[in-house]
Structures are given as C-alpha cells and as structure tokens.
Amino acid sequence: MTTRTLDTGTDKLLGSVTDGVATLTLNNPTKRNALGDEMTPALRRMLLETETDPNVRVLVLTGAEGAFCAGGDIGGMGDTLAGGKAPNTDDMISRLREAQNTASLRLYEYSKPTIAALPGAAAGAGMSIALACDLRITGQSGFLYPAFGAIGLSGDFGGSWLLSHYIGPARAKEIYFTNHRILPEEGLALGLFNRVVADEDLQAETNALAQQIAGFAPMALRYMKENHNRARSTDLRTAMSMEADRMIRTLMSDDHKEGARAFMEKRKPEFKGQ
C-alpha cells in the first residue's frame, strides 16, 4: 500500500491518494467543516485534478473530527457571495451558480465513482454535496439535515433535485418543509445511505469499499456511472442505445481482454485503464 499527499493549497482541505483511491477531507472542525473562502476553491480545484489523474480510480469525500460538512458558513456567507462588495442580487446569484456547478454538479458528473463518508452531520449545502456523490456510508453519528428552514433560506447546491429523485417529491418536500433530520436507520431505509456502520469502523469500511471498486476496470466504471445517470433523464430506447455504444467500447478495450483472460485462468485481473 502506497500513499501520496495531495497539495490542496490550504489546511482547510486535506488530500491523499492510496492505491487508486483519492480521499479529500474537509478540515474546518471549529465550524463543523463549513464551506468557506479557503476550503471551497480548494475543493473545486482538487475535484478537477483528481478527475484527470490517471492514478485515481475512486474518490472519497469526508470530513474531519466528527462532522461531514455543515454547509455554508452562515457568518460569512453573504460577504462571500457578494465578493467583498456591496450586495448585488444578480452578481450574488451568478457566484452561487458557479459555486454549485463546480461542487455538486462536478461531483454528480465526476467521471469516476465517488463515495461520501459521513462521520457526523451533513447539513445544508453539506447534505446536498453528500447526495451528489454516488454512494454514501455513515457512522452511527452521521445524519442528513436540510437546515435551511431554520435560518429562513430555501436551499441550494442541488439538494432539492437530488433528494426528490432519490425518494420522490412528496417525501423530499416534507423533509425540507419540516427541516427533518434523517438519521442513519431512516436514511438506510430510504436508500439514501448504502451502509451504516459503527463510528469507529467508518474509515476502514469506506476504504475497503473504495478499494474494492478501484480494482475494477476504470473505463467500465466510467460508463456504468454514465449509464445510471442518464437513466434518470431519458427514455428506455435512448438509454439502451447508449448502453450498446458503451458496451462495445468496453468489449474492444484491453481491460476487457485482460478480464476475460483472468476469468479463464481463474486469477484476479490486473486492469490498466486501457
């Protein structure tokens, strides 16, 4: 097992890569890892860098010291969106759209599998970011919490769209309207959490799942994610047409040939991403 540290440019975001798995850790524990002027730009940049890094096959996003992400820093949110100037509605909308596109949307469209590991609260925009990942694992102390209603806000970072698609609009609306906290067992029943584990096992369980996924062919994983994302926005005929395209492309790949040889030879395949 080999690990290299990623230079994120700030101690508010920690990064490393171990055997094909990149881990980004939100690290602002005094504010429950709330997004801010240092963390958010660093996260945007590292999502781009890890996505284009051929040595990264899976991304894990987590938080330090008992929290995932408390969303925006309430105390400085307005100033951040105003860009240090007098508040201007149109400019602030533009900045928020850019922030959303380079965080939640980037995660949702990220070309490799992503896992959110929740050691604690994923609230507000933090909940949205967790939902934008492909898979979610939580410790017993983790939970999803819209939080917006408590401070008179309507919600951002794609949470309303993501939650509605996962559990249906009526239940999603109720959760937002009542500011309902989704605890581990409820989240598991709703399909929002893939796994619920003991707090002390969260890191090990997440790493084991990430390493398992990283052992498969990168092209196949990329196209699997494409197929499933597309299934939520198109008809069956179109989905099957694109599945055929991706299936043949993977069939022609070196990794498929290696997988077929390994199957016949009863050994573990060594996929190269080709």
Side-chain angles (χ1 to χ4, degrees):
M1 181 176 293
T2 58
T3 299
R4 62 183 170 93
T5 300
L6 297 175
D7 180 11
T8 70
T10 174
D11 61 4
K12 294 293 191 296
L13 181 70
L14 309 178
S16 64
V17 177
T18 302
D19 295 339
V21 177
T23 300
L24 298 179
T25 303
L26 308 177
N27 186 43
N28 188 11
T30 59
K31 294 189 176 182
R32 295 189 302 157
N33 304 323
L35 302 171
D37 290 343
E38 290 185 57
M39 182 191 293
T40 305
L43 178 60
R44 296 174 187 169
R45 181 170 62 84
M46 295 313 300
L47 289 177
L48 286 170
E49 287 192 12
T50 54
E51 185 175 27
T52 56
D53 186 337
N55 295 313
V56 172
R57 297 189 177 188
V58 177
L59 174 71
V60 172
L61 184 63
T62 190
E65 298 188 27
F68 179 75
C69 176
D73 182 356
I74 297 174
M77 189 185 307
D79 289 341
T80 297
L81 291 174
K85 303 175 182 178
N88 177 284
T89 300
D90 289 340
D91 288 346
M92 293 171 74
I93 291 171
S94 179
R95 289 191 182 92
L96 180 54
R97 284 173 174 163
E98 176 67 11
Q100 293 177 144
N101 290 345
T102 53
S104 292
L105 186 60
R106 171 65 62 185
L107 276 168
Y108 184 75
E109 295 181 343
Y110 195 89
S111 61
K112 302 167 184 180
T114 59
I115 303 172
L118 278 60
M127 171 175 160
S128 303
I129 288 171
L131 292 175
C133 292
D134 298 315
L135 308 178
R136 281 157 295 285
I137 301 180
T138 184
Q140 289 291 344
S141 297
F143 58 91
L144 299 169
Y145 179 48
F148 299 109
I151 54 174
L153 295 174
S154 57
D156 58 4
F157 279 75
S160 54
W161 188 91
L162 291 160
L163 191 63
S164 291
H165 276 71
Y166 289 141
I167 66 173
R171 284 190 290 189
K173 288 174 185 176
E174 181 181 2
I175 287 168
Y176 266 65
F177 292 166
T178 63
N179 209 31
H180 178 65
R181 183 175 300 198
I182 306 170
L183 298 177
E185 295 307 323
E186 180 185 8
L188 188 64
L190 288 170
L192 296 173
F193 294 132
N194 296 85
R195 301 182 185 182
V196 174
V197 301
D199 288 342
E200 60 269 23
D201 296 333
L202 178 62
Q203 182 175 350
E205 291 284 344
T206 302
N207 289 343
L209 177 60
Q211 290 292 345
Q212 179 186 6
I213 295 171
F216 291 98
M219 181 188 295
L221 290 170
R222 182 170 73 253
Y223 289 156
M224 284 179 193
K225 179 167 180 173
E226 264 189 25
N227 288 341
H228 284 275
N229 281 0
R230 187 182 299 109
R232 296 167 65 174
S233 60
T234 192
D235 59 273
L236 177 58
R237 183 180 298 275
T238 302
M240 289 195 300
S241 174
M242 292 307 297
E243 279 185 338
D245 177 275
R246 300 306 189 249
M247 185 69 172
I248 297 305
R249 292 181 189 280
T250 52
L251 182 68
M252 301 296 288
S253 70
D254 290 342
D255 275 350
H256 166 66
K257 295 179 178 65
E258 162 61 12
R261 283 194 301 269
F263 179 82
M264 298 300 294
E265 296 167 5
K266 295 181 173 54
R267 60 174 175 81
K268 184 177 179 179
E270 297 182 10
F271 294 122
K272 304 295 186 181
Q274 301 172 344

